[in-house]
């Protein structure tokens, strides 16, 4: 939404919004593929929707208090998640 974009990424150029939307959809599709790799095919969509719900509720509580943290937290945690994935 434009309101959220202004709140989180006011310093970025407006052209980035056109890049971030398709990238977000692509990342959602990739996360569903990862869910199918981890869980059995019948359980993957259920687990995926549950994880999306947890992420959404986390953002719901985080955005009013620390909107900038909500923007940078996934970027900061990505290397840790990749390292944990390679170890496990």
């Amino acid at each position: 939404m434009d309101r959220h974009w202004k709140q989180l990424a006011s310093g970025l150029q407006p052209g980035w919004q056109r890049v971030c939307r398709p990238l977000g959809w692509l990342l959602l599709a990739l996360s569903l593929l990862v869910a199918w790799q981890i869980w059995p095919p019948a359980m993957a969509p259920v687990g995926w929707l549950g994880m999306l719900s947890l992420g959404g509720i986390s953002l719901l509580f985080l955005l009013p208090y620390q909107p900038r943290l909500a923007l940078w937290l996934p970027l900061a945690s990505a290397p840790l998640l990749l390292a944990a994935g390679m170890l496990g």
Side-chain angles (χ1 to χ4, degrees):
M1 293 179 64
D2 290 331
R3 177 179 61 180
H4 298 134
W5 181 260
K6 288 177 188 173
Q7 185 180 17
L8 290 176
S10 60
L12 295 176
Q13 298 293 329
W16 277 101
Q17 190 173 10
R18 288 191 303 266
V19 173
C20 289
R21 283 184 181 171
L23 182 63
W25 283 107
L26 177 66
L27 290 173
L28 281 173
L30 287 175
S31 69
L32 182 58
L33 290 174
V34 169
W36 263 310
Q37 299 269 328
I38 295 172
W39 291 309
M43 188 62 190
V46 176
W48 181 71
L49 287 172
M51 291 296 153
L52 283 179
S53 299
L54 285 174
I57 197 79
S58 300
L59 280 175
L60 177 76
F61 289 122
L62 185 61
L63 277 175
Y65 302 108
Q66 293 291 329
R68 293 290 180 179
L69 181 62
L71 180 65
W72 294 108
L73 191 61
L75 297 174
S77 63
L80 296 174
L81 293 173
L82 287 174
M86 289 180 189
L87 292 176

